[in-house]
């Protein structure tokens, strides 16, 4: 115990130094906790979330290197690197990352999405320098050679077989996605197409790493019992030599993307037990205001004496499950999606009619203070939960800066709701959730319609 205290005494006694261009922001409203943001000369973005309540640190790397950065013919590279980053670096033995992480008592993982890849770990705070040195090594000196490349490629092929090819729902969703998202980087699933994964080349992998694993394409978020000065100094020590490349810009979506499928239905059959339908409202909007409007819409949709919308669906025996959400982490498209699961005997046309009727009811219902206060209470609970755990604070910082692109977002959602312009909210509903602004997808049991394996875009 005495030894641990001595280490932390060292941590907090480091001499402060000037940090140019540093930004400071509250993390959550009503809390004194702050985040500090700094950009290194090579373009690397760093956010530090000081939290002295416990001796555990949380380290996240967020890169704009998801599957929407790939091209037809080389899909699957983003997910491949999620795996390959744990294998070997130049000059270090294979598996060194896991050995060092385990030796300091830490744990870590990674994940790939349509528009990002993330690497994250938790470890005792005194190991911060060891961990930053370890991370810098794999981000700058990954060994993309055989046999490591071929071994990890084989692992990805096996994962795809397990998660997609052996799952009728996922395999069918892949077919529908290739049609509804045709001509965009959303056309393929994050794991990549079967042929592309199997034919993945070493040269293509090296090019992807060179183009997208760059400092100006990376956000580091570090939380724990650190002074910002100490964290910035250590990050600069190990990452300042990371040279920036020329990260390609996103290509624009087809000009007609948001209107080309409106009114269409994309329904196919597969060996599944339940029916899954989606009503998709294409949208390019993604900011804090639209997220607040989405939360308000859901609250009004659920404000009924007979229970939430989901409960009313089930009670009327129209569906077995429902959820509604906006996808806000994609770069150029941020659809609103109503997701329904039905039993074999349930009729989606009745579900769709019930949904549209309730959306129209919300549109014609005034926004009351009761509803606004209800959403504000939900926000307060979420903020309180985030304040309790340092790892949650780090996630809030990531949401604000990486996804919403607003480092100073704390408290703005509450202000938007308190000062709600009801006319603008209704205009948002009319534009985004009107009965002519959607298309439908569906996967139903075998025999009900054309098999997904044979499905083509309807005329």
């Amino acid at each position: 115990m005495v030894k641990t205290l001595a280490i932390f005494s060292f941590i907090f006694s480091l001499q402060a130094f000037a940090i140019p261009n540093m930004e400071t922001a509250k993390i959550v409203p009503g809390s004194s906790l702050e985040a500090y943001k700094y950009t290194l000369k090579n373009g690397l973005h760093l956010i530090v979330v000081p939290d002295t309540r416990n001796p555990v640190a949380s380290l996240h790397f967020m890169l704009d290197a998801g599957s929407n950065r790939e091209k037809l013919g080389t899909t699957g590279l983003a997910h491949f690197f999620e795996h390959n980053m744990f294998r070997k670096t130049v000059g270090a033995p294979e598996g060194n990352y896991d050995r060092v992480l385990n030796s300091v008592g830490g744990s870590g993982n990674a994940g790939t999405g349509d528009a990002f890849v993330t690497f994250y770990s938790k470890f005792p705070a005194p190991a911060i320098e060891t961990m930053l040195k370890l991370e810098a090594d794999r981000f700058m000196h990954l060994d993309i050679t055989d046999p490591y490349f071929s071994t990890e490629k084989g692992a990805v092929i096996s994962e795809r077989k397990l998660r997609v090819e052996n799952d009728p729902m996922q395999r069918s969703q892949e077919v529908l996605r290739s049609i509804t998202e045709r001509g965009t980087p959303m056309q393929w699933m994050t794991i990549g197409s079967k042929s592309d994964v199997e034919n993945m080349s070493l040269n293509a992998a090296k090019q992807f790493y060179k183009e997208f694993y760059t400092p100006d394409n990376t956000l580091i978020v570090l939380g724990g019992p650190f002074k910002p000065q100490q964290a910035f100094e250590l990050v600069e020590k190990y990452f300042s030599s990371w040279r920036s490349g020329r990260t390609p810009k996103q290509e624009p979506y087809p000009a007609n993307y948001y209107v080309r499928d409106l009114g269409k239905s994309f329904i196919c059959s597969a060996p599944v037990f339940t029916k899954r339908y989606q009503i998709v409202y294409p949208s390019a909007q993604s900011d804090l205001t639209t997220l607040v409007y989405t939360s308000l819409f859901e609250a009004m949709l659920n404000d009924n004496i007979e229970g939430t919308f989901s409960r009313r669906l089930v009670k009327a025996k129209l569906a077995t499950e429902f959820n509604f959400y906006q996808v806000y982490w994609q770069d150029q498209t941020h659809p609103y999606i109503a997701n329904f699961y039905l039993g074999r005997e349930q009729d989606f046309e009745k579900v769709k009619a019930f949904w549209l009727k309730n959306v129209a009811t919300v549109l014609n219902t005034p926004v009351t203070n009761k509803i606004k206060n209800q959403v504000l209470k939900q926000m307060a609970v979420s903020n309180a939960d985030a304040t309790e755990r340092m790892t949650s604070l780090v996630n809030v910082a990531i949401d604000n800066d990486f996804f919403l692109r607003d480092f100073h977002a704390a408290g703005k959602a509450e202000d938007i709701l308190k000062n709600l312009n009801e006319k603008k909210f209704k205009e948002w509903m009319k534009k985004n959730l009107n009965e002519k602004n959607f298309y439908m997808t569906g996967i139903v049991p075998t025999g009900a319609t054309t098999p997904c394996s044979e499905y083509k875009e309807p005329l």
Side-chain angles (χ1 to χ4, degrees):
M1 185 66 177
V2 174
K3 183 177 180 180
T4 302
L5 289 175
I7 292 172
F8 277 95
S9 175
F10 166 74
I11 288 176
F12 287 104
S13 64
L14 286 174
Q15 185 176 2
F17 69 101
I19 304 174
N21 305 317
M22 182 184 73
E23 291 184 68
T24 305
K26 294 287 185 183
I27 306 176
V28 293
S31 170
S32 61
L33 296 166
E34 292 184 313
Y36 300 81
K37 182 179 179 181
Y38 174 60
T39 301
L40 278 66
K41 291 181 180 179
N42 60 4
L44 177 65
H45 304 291
L46 170 66
I47 294 176
V48 179
V49 182
D51 187 349
T52 61
R53 292 174 296 182
N54 64 65
V56 178
S58 179
L59 180 60
H60 282 241
F61 289 78
M62 299 292 301
L63 288 82
D64 180 6
S67 59
N68 67 353
R69 288 301 212 163
E70 301 162 348
K71 304 288 185 182
L72 279 173
T74 60
T75 67
L77 285 170
H79 177 250
F80 166 79
F81 273 103
E82 176 201 324
H83 285 243
N84 204 54
M85 287 285 283
F86 290 91
R87 294 209 70 91
K88 187 184 183 302
T89 59
V90 177
E94 185 179 9
N96 183 63
Y97 180 87
D98 287 335
R99 279 192 290 271
V100 174
L101 181 63
N102 292 334
S103 73
V104 301
S107 62
N109 212 327
T112 308
D114 298 322
F116 68 92
V117 61
T118 180
F119 302 89
Y120 50 93
S121 58
K122 291 193 296 184
F123 49 87
I128 178 60
E129 186 161 7
T130 298
M131 287 303 302
L132 287 174
K133 181 180 179 180
L134 184 68
E135 294 288 3
D137 186 39
R138 65 173 177 167
F139 276 94
M140 288 189 275
H141 306 297
L142 192 65
D143 193 346
I144 313 173
T145 58
D146 272 325
Y148 317 109
F149 169 78
S150 296
T151 300
E152 204 52 59
K153 174 181 170 180
V156 173
I157 291 173
S158 296
E159 182 179 345
R160 190 193 144 79
K161 288 179 179 177
L162 176 66
R163 295 190 176 184
V164 179
E165 292 161 38
N166 292 336
D167 185 332
M169 186 66 77
Q170 287 297 311
R171 193 167 65 249
S172 302
Q173 188 63 39
E174 182 177 39
V175 171
L176 294 181
R177 182 165 169 167
S178 70
I179 296 171
T180 61
E181 300 296 333
R182 62 197 180 279
T184 80
M186 298 300 298
Q187 182 174 328
W188 49 87
M189 299 181 76
T190 299
I191 201 166
S193 73
K194 184 176 186 293
S195 61
D196 286 355
V197 171
E198 291 175 344
N199 297 315
M200 187 183 296
S201 74
L202 186 60
N203 287 336
K206 288 180 177 179
Q207 186 65 25
F208 190 88
Y209 183 71
K210 179 181 178 181
E211 290 184 343
F212 299 107
Y213 279 67
T214 60
D216 52 326
N217 201 42
T218 304
L219 168 68
I220 297 177
V221 183
L222 172 61
F226 312 112
K227 286 186 176 181
Q229 293 92 334
Q230 176 212 14
F232 295 146
E233 185 177 52
L234 288 174
V235 170
E236 284 195 312
K237 178 180 179 180
Y238 291 105
F239 286 90
S240 60
S241 61
W242 191 7
R243 294 301 170 217
S244 178
R246 290 192 174 184
T247 301
K249 293 183 179 180
Q250 286 280 2
E251 294 182 4
Y253 274 41
N256 67 339
Y257 174 80
Y258 296 100
V259 298
R260 64 186 184 181
D261 289 331
L262 297 184
K264 293 182 180 179
S265 294
F266 304 89
I267 315 294
C268 64
S269 66
V272 296
F273 294 103
T274 60
K275 296 182 281 190
R276 179 187 178 185
Y277 291 91
Q278 289 186 332
I279 296 178
V280 182
Y281 298 87
S283 173
Q285 287 185 287
S286 178
D287 54 32
L288 200 53
T289 297
T290 61
L291 290 180
V292 172
Y293 285 175
T294 301
S295 296
L296 181 59
F297 165 75
E298 286 186 88
M300 295 181 69
L301 185 68
N302 290 327
D303 186 38
N304 190 292
I305 194 171
E306 296 183 6
T308 65
F309 180 79
S310 181
R311 183 173 180 178
R312 301 197 306 272
L313 272 176
V314 174
K315 186 178 180 180
K317 298 182 179 180
L318 294 175
T320 60
E321 188 178 341
F322 160 81
N323 53 66
F324 175 79
Y325 52 90
Q326 182 189 15
V327 181
Y328 72 96
W329 53 81
Q330 297 172 7
D331 191 53
Q332 298 183 52
T333 172
H334 309 273
Y336 302 92
I337 298 175
N339 196 41
F340 305 87
Y341 285 89
L342 283 66
R344 282 178 174 265
E345 304 304 319
Q346 292 174 322
D347 183 359
F348 181 66
E349 286 301 314
K350 293 180 180 179
V351 173
K352 183 177 74 171
F354 190 76
W355 164 256
L356 294 176
K357 177 183 177 181
N358 277 267
V359 172
T361 297
V362 173
L363 178 61
N364 295 313
T365 301
V367 179
T368 64
N369 287 330
K370 171 192 168 186
I371 287 293
K372 289 170 64 175
N373 289 333
Q374 179 180 323
V375 178
L376 285 169
K377 287 180 180 178
Q378 292 172 352
M379 292 179 180
V381 169
S382 177
N383 291 333
D385 288 344
T387 305
E388 287 297 314
R389 295 181 298 277
M390 179 268 297
T391 50
S392 297
L393 293 174
V394 167
N395 287 332
V396 171
I398 291 171
D399 286 344
N400 291 349
D401 194 76
F402 189 87
F403 293 124
L404 291 175
R405 295 178 172 84
D406 186 356
F407 179 58
H408 301 277
K412 291 184 179 180
E414 289 82 355
D415 291 339
I416 291 169
L417 192 56
K418 290 175 183 176
N419 303 308
L420 180 73
N421 183 317
E422 185 168 345
K423 181 179 179 182
K424 290 185 177 179
F425 170 64
K426 299 296 187 178
E427 288 174 350
W428 167 81
M429 279 198 64
K430 290 177 182 178
K431 177 181 178 181
N432 293 286
L433 301 178
N434 73 66
E435 60 183 11
K436 296 181 180 180
N437 191 51
F438 65 83
Y439 64 85
M440 296 181 296
T441 68
I443 301 169
V444 298
T446 301
T449 186
T450 305
C452 292
S453 58
E454 302 173 10
Y455 189 77
K456 305 295 181 184
E457 181 186 358
L459 297 176

